[in-house]
Amino acid sequence: MNISDFLTVPFLQNAVIGGVLIAVLLSVLSLFVFVKKWSFINIGISHAAFGGLAIGFFLGINPTLIGSIFAISIGLLIGYISKKGQIHEDISIGILLSFSMALGVVVMSFSNNYNSDLFAFLFGNILTITYQDIIIISSFSIISIAFIFYNLEKLMYCCFDEELANISGINTNFLYYATITIIAVATVLSIKLVGSILSSAMIILPAATASQIFWRYKSIILTSVIISVFTVLLGIYVSFEYNLPSGSTIVIIYSLIFFTAVIFKRVFLG
Amino acid sequence: MIKIENLYVEINGNLILEDVSFEVKKGEIVAVVGPNGGGKTTLVKVILGFVQPTKGKVLIEGKNPKDYVKSGKVGYLPQKSSYDRDFPVSVFDVVMFGLINTSLPYKEKEKKVLEYLNYVGMQQYKDYSFGKLSGGQQQRVMIARAIISQPELLILDEPSTGIDVVAQENFYEFIKKINKEKGITVIMVTHDIGAIGSFVNKVVGLNRRLHYLGDFKEFLQKEALDKLYGSEVKLLIHSPECFTCQHFNIEVKKH
Ligand SMILES: Nc1ncnc2c1ncn2[C@@H]1O[C@H](COP(=O)(O)OP(=O)(O)OP(=O)(O)O)[C@@H](O)[C@H]1O
Ligand SMILES: [Mg+2]
């Protein structure tokens, strides 16, 4: 395997492009996961998506579509329960997560290839990214990232203090549900490529790492994107060079960078 | 400007506000006073449209509070709440939030933010992390954020909490100034009655029910105080460590 293969072999090209797009999207979202302390939102939504994917497989309808519909519904439900009940999102997630996961497992038990599908759900397979996937991911990423950057200051204001943002004339409910919807769809799209475990790492670790070194949101978002793209590229390369599973390699690199940043902060920034 | 008629608020079966009625005219400065748990913050949240009345009517410029607030004409300083120490915004960013829906060019906004930071004596902290400031410093920044948009109606829930005497005096001077120059209506929840007495037009004494409505002079008469605070007021006046009550004391003696 040679570095130039990444530029010429189609399935590797797709893996690199798809991986980078997902990395950019999830790392931008990671800022909100970080400030809202939503570490479990992605896990919750991916479990919901699992229920949807399972039903999609079982019925022979496009699993990504059913998975997305499930994920968006559960995402909005998480938001609704949290807002109306004035409880933290993680608690709503806990309530809904088990339900949809259980549903998925029950449906899966009717199908024969339970194990292989579950494995793909957990770890994904970046090498199976198709040209069509790339189109879907890139259009969704561009729209979402544009939306987030256009509304970045407003979104931060809402995260800072929703009541105050509301009084300043911001439609806080719309932004809240829009953000949850974007996270839900991004989660579903990323599961197919990188699996639910890596998808969680990609939406939690970038901002958590960047915030060890920078404290202002604009710097955090920029650093998150750089860390993520670098990690994904390095991960794909290392996994090919040494014949390792790509998803797990990427997770390990993410974690190593995170711990390095923690140590860096303790040693150099006090 | 604000009309409150027979307002009742019940939360989880508890009656928090009972049959409260009063009016605020344009350009008035109104102080809302009363003991802890008396429903002052709840009243403010009703005016802001965050809490729905169980019964009764609240109108601001003839509109219901939610619709009025949406127009962005309200400045609000919440009762001091603790902000996340790691929240990734600078002091500058926080004051800038106050201008989010105004259509000034960035340069002008920046100039304004610096002017207001200067005004609350926080200009040298503009590039600090907001979460890492002390409570009183955060309060000053939040004051700058609340007033920077030059609202028509300014609602302040215990603005003087945690800020030192110099900052308090500056702040009250500013309230007087914007009220006079721009005719901004001010509703201020406070325990610091002595310090604001000289310039409020109306005092609303609240302890679930409206116990007092009128001007400041009358309010200081023993009867009104007793009615509002009950036996607590005696306890308060004799407590030397209570800053607010020293003001009370001084003012009470004067009259
Ligand atoms: N969301 C809520 N749920 C339940 N009870 C509430 C809620 N908000 C307020 N209360 C109750 O309403 C009463 C009045 O509270 P409020 O915060 O309005 O008082 P306050 O006059 O602002 O007091 P303080 O001087 O301490 O700020 C209290 O007994 C409080 O427990
Ligand atoms: Mg209060």
Side-chain angles (χ1 to χ4, degrees), chain A residues 55-77:
Chain A
I55 290 171
F57 275 124
F58 183 67
L59 299 177
I61 307 167
N62 185 343
T64 311
L65 182 69
I66 307 283
S68 303
I69 292 170
F70 252 67
I72 295 173
S73 324
I74 294 282
L76 295 178
L77 204 56

mmCIF file of all heavy atoms in Angstrom, chain A residues 55-77:
data_model
loop_
_atom_site.group_PDB
_atom_site.id
_atom_site.type_symbol
_atom_site.label_atom_id
_atom_site.label_comp_id
_atom_site.label_asym_id
_atom_site.label_seq_id
_atom_site.Cartn_x
_atom_site.Cartn_y
_atom_site.Cartn_z
ATOM 1 N N ILE A 55 -35.698 -2.045 11.442
ATOM 2 C CA ILE A 55 -37.015 -2.160 10.815
ATOM 3 C C ILE A 55 -36.891 -2.013 9.296
ATOM 4 O O ILE A 55 -37.526 -2.741 8.535
ATOM 5 C CB ILE A 55 -37.984 -1.107 11.410
ATOM 6 C CG1 ILE A 55 -38.297 -1.500 12.856
ATOM 7 C CG2 ILE A 55 -39.260 -1.005 10.601
ATOM 8 C CD1 ILE A 55 -39.048 -0.464 13.640
ATOM 9 N N GLY A 56 -36.021 -1.079 8.877
ATOM 10 C CA GLY A 56 -35.776 -0.900 7.443
ATOM 11 C C GLY A 56 -35.262 -2.176 6.790
ATOM 12 O O GLY A 56 -35.784 -2.620 5.767
ATOM 13 N N PHE A 57 -34.272 -2.793 7.415
ATOM 14 C CA PHE A 57 -33.726 -4.063 6.908
ATOM 15 C C PHE A 57 -34.823 -5.100 6.813
ATOM 16 O O PHE A 57 -34.981 -5.799 5.811
ATOM 17 C CB PHE A 57 -32.633 -4.597 7.844
ATOM 18 C CG PHE A 57 -31.279 -4.008 7.563
ATOM 19 C CD1 PHE A 57 -30.565 -3.358 8.585
ATOM 20 C CD2 PHE A 57 -30.693 -4.104 6.301
ATOM 21 C CE1 PHE A 57 -29.315 -2.818 8.339
ATOM 22 C CE2 PHE A 57 -29.444 -3.564 6.058
ATOM 23 C CZ PHE A 57 -28.751 -2.920 7.074
ATOM 24 N N PHE A 58 -35.572 -5.189 7.898
ATOM 25 C CA PHE A 58 -36.589 -6.231 8.009
ATOM 26 C C PHE A 58 -37.669 -6.064 6.933
ATOM 27 O O PHE A 58 -38.085 -7.025 6.290
ATOM 28 C CB PHE A 58 -37.215 -6.192 9.407
ATOM 29 C CG PHE A 58 -38.226 -7.274 9.636
ATOM 30 C CD1 PHE A 58 -37.829 -8.613 9.690
ATOM 31 C CD2 PHE A 58 -39.573 -6.970 9.775
ATOM 32 C CE1 PHE A 58 -38.758 -9.616 9.903
ATOM 33 C CE2 PHE A 58 -40.506 -7.970 9.981
ATOM 34 C CZ PHE A 58 -40.098 -9.303 10.051
ATOM 35 N N LEU A 59 -38.099 -4.848 6.732
ATOM 36 C CA LEU A 59 -39.173 -4.608 5.766
ATOM 37 C C LEU A 59 -38.656 -4.454 4.352
ATOM 38 O O LEU A 59 -39.427 -4.366 3.401
ATOM 39 C CB LEU A 59 -39.966 -3.355 6.157
ATOM 40 C CG LEU A 59 -40.674 -3.384 7.509
ATOM 41 C CD1 LEU A 59 -41.359 -2.048 7.787
ATOM 42 C CD2 LEU A 59 -41.702 -4.530 7.547
ATOM 43 N N GLY A 60 -37.337 -4.381 4.215
ATOM 44 C CA GLY A 60 -36.757 -4.226 2.894
ATOM 45 C C GLY A 60 -36.933 -2.819 2.331
ATOM 46 O O GLY A 60 -36.914 -2.595 1.135
ATOM 47 N N ILE A 61 -37.147 -1.847 3.231
ATOM 48 C CA ILE A 61 -37.215 -0.447 2.794
ATOM 49 C C ILE A 61 -35.868 0.182 3.118
ATOM 50 O O ILE A 61 -35.227 -0.207 4.100
ATOM 51 C CB ILE A 61 -38.331 0.314 3.536
ATOM 52 C CG1 ILE A 61 -39.654 -0.439 3.393
ATOM 53 C CG2 ILE A 61 -38.467 1.739 3.016
ATOM 54 C CD1 ILE A 61 -40.740 0.049 4.322
ATOM 55 N N ASN A 62 -35.442 1.172 2.349
ATOM 56 C CA ASN A 62 -34.163 1.847 2.559
ATOM 57 C C ASN A 62 -33.873 2.099 4.045
ATOM 58 O O ASN A 62 -34.499 2.956 4.672
ATOM 59 C CB ASN A 62 -34.181 3.173 1.791
ATOM 60 C CG ASN A 62 -32.846 3.879 1.855
ATOM 61 O OD1 ASN A 62 -32.003 3.568 2.703
ATOM 62 N ND2 ASN A 62 -32.648 4.823 0.956
ATOM 63 N N PRO A 63 -32.938 1.334 4.626
ATOM 64 C CA PRO A 63 -32.690 1.429 6.070
ATOM 65 C C PRO A 63 -32.227 2.824 6.504
ATOM 66 O O PRO A 63 -32.617 3.295 7.567
ATOM 67 C CB PRO A 63 -31.575 0.408 6.323
ATOM 68 C CG PRO A 63 -31.562 -0.471 5.136
ATOM 69 C CD PRO A 63 -32.069 0.343 3.991
ATOM 70 N N THR A 64 -31.405 3.480 5.666
ATOM 71 C CA THR A 64 -30.928 4.817 6.045
ATOM 72 C C THR A 64 -32.096 5.783 6.192
ATOM 73 O O THR A 64 -32.140 6.593 7.117
ATOM 74 C CB THR A 64 -29.950 5.360 4.988
ATOM 75 O OG1 THR A 64 -28.984 4.351 4.707
ATOM 76 C CG2 THR A 64 -29.241 6.597 5.474
ATOM 77 N N LEU A 65 -33.064 5.650 5.276
ATOM 78 C CA LEU A 65 -34.226 6.537 5.322
ATOM 79 C C LEU A 65 -35.027 6.310 6.603
ATOM 80 O O LEU A 65 -35.323 7.242 7.351
ATOM 81 C CB LEU A 65 -35.096 6.299 4.088
ATOM 82 C CG LEU A 65 -36.324 7.200 3.987
ATOM 83 C CD1 LEU A 65 -35.900 8.638 3.721
ATOM 84 C CD2 LEU A 65 -37.268 6.705 2.902
ATOM 85 N N ILE A 66 -35.365 5.033 6.866
ATOM 86 C CA ILE A 66 -36.142 4.720 8.073
ATOM 87 C C ILE A 66 -35.335 5.096 9.320
ATOM 88 O O ILE A 66 -35.866 5.657 10.283
ATOM 89 C CB ILE A 66 -36.502 3.209 8.133
ATOM 90 C CG1 ILE A 66 -37.188 2.773 6.829
ATOM 91 C CG2 ILE A 66 -37.376 2.917 9.348
ATOM 92 C CD1 ILE A 66 -38.610 3.186 6.704
ATOM 93 N N GLY A 67 -34.036 4.795 9.269
ATOM 94 C CA GLY A 67 -33.170 5.149 10.392
ATOM 95 C C GLY A 67 -33.193 6.649 10.653
ATOM 96 O O GLY A 67 -33.293 7.083 11.800
ATOM 97 N N SER A 68 -33.113 7.442 9.584
ATOM 98 C CA SER A 68 -33.135 8.901 9.739
ATOM 99 C C SER A 68 -34.444 9.373 10.339
ATOM 100 O O SER A 68 -34.465 10.223 11.227
ATOM 101 C CB SER A 68 -32.956 9.603 8.388
ATOM 102 O OG SER A 68 -31.763 9.195 7.796
ATOM 103 N N ILE A 69 -35.536 8.808 9.827
ATOM 104 C CA ILE A 69 -36.845 9.225 10.340
ATOM 105 C C ILE A 69 -36.934 8.903 11.832
ATOM 106 O O ILE A 69 -37.353 9.733 12.646
ATOM 107 C CB ILE A 69 -37.982 8.518 9.561
ATOM 108 C CG1 ILE A 69 -38.008 9.052 8.125
ATOM 109 C CG2 ILE A 69 -39.325 8.747 10.246
ATOM 110 C CD1 ILE A 69 -38.907 8.270 7.188
ATOM 111 N N PHE A 70 -36.478 7.717 12.198
ATOM 112 C CA PHE A 70 -36.465 7.326 13.609
ATOM 113 C C PHE A 70 -35.606 8.280 14.429
ATOM 114 O O PHE A 70 -36.004 8.750 15.485
ATOM 115 C CB PHE A 70 -35.904 5.897 13.755
ATOM 116 C CG PHE A 70 -36.935 4.893 14.093
ATOM 117 C CD1 PHE A 70 -37.926 4.572 13.173
ATOM 118 C CD2 PHE A 70 -36.928 4.244 15.320
ATOM 119 C CE1 PHE A 70 -38.888 3.640 13.482
ATOM 120 C CE2 PHE A 70 -37.887 3.307 15.631
ATOM 121 C CZ PHE A 70 -38.877 2.994 14.717
ATOM 122 N N ALA A 71 -34.400 8.535 13.918
ATOM 123 C CA ALA A 71 -33.448 9.357 14.669
ATOM 124 C C ALA A 71 -33.978 10.768 14.855
ATOM 125 O O ALA A 71 -33.892 11.330 15.956
ATOM 126 C CB ALA A 71 -32.107 9.387 13.946
ATOM 127 N N ILE A 72 -34.545 11.342 13.793
ATOM 128 C CA ILE A 72 -35.072 12.705 13.911
ATOM 129 C C ILE A 72 -36.221 12.734 14.912
ATOM 130 O O ILE A 72 -36.292 13.609 15.775
ATOM 131 C CB ILE A 72 -35.522 13.250 12.545
ATOM 132 C CG1 ILE A 72 -34.298 13.395 11.616
ATOM 133 C CG2 ILE A 72 -36.223 14.596 12.684
ATOM 134 C CD1 ILE A 72 -34.632 13.755 10.193
ATOM 135 N N SER A 73 -37.121 11.732 14.805
ATOM 136 C CA SER A 73 -38.252 11.722 15.739
ATOM 137 C C SER A 73 -37.755 11.617 17.175
ATOM 138 O O SER A 73 -38.230 12.331 18.053
ATOM 139 C CB SER A 73 -39.201 10.552 15.469
ATOM 140 O OG SER A 73 -39.296 10.302 14.104
ATOM 141 N N ILE A 74 -36.839 10.698 17.397
ATOM 142 C CA ILE A 74 -36.343 10.533 18.772
ATOM 143 C C ILE A 74 -35.608 11.792 19.224
ATOM 144 O O ILE A 74 -35.776 12.248 20.352
ATOM 145 C CB ILE A 74 -35.410 9.304 18.883
ATOM 146 C CG1 ILE A 74 -36.197 8.009 18.630
ATOM 147 C CG2 ILE A 74 -34.741 9.256 20.250
ATOM 148 C CD1 ILE A 74 -37.035 7.513 19.782
ATOM 149 N N GLY A 75 -34.823 12.392 18.330
ATOM 150 C CA GLY A 75 -34.111 13.635 18.664
ATOM 151 C C GLY A 75 -35.086 14.730 19.081
ATOM 152 O O GLY A 75 -34.904 15.383 20.107
ATOM 153 N N LEU A 76 -36.142 14.899 18.300
ATOM 154 C CA LEU A 76 -37.120 15.940 18.622
ATOM 155 C C LEU A 76 -37.848 15.610 19.923
ATOM 156 O O LEU A 76 -38.136 16.486 20.733
ATOM 157 C CB LEU A 76 -38.118 16.105 17.477
ATOM 158 C CG LEU A 76 -37.513 16.622 16.164
ATOM 159 C CD1 LEU A 76 -38.570 16.698 15.062
ATOM 160 C CD2 LEU A 76 -36.867 17.997 16.357
ATOM 161 N N LEU A 77 -38.102 14.316 20.113
ATOM 162 C CA LEU A 77 -38.776 13.878 21.343
ATOM 163 C C LEU A 77 -37.893 14.151 22.567
ATOM 164 O O LEU A 77 -38.365 14.613 23.609
ATOM 165 C CB LEU A 77 -39.100 12.388 21.237
ATOM 166 C CG LEU A 77 -40.241 11.856 22.092
ATOM 167 C CD1 LEU A 77 -41.527 12.628 21.822
ATOM 168 C CD2 LEU A 77 -40.458 10.364 21.807
#
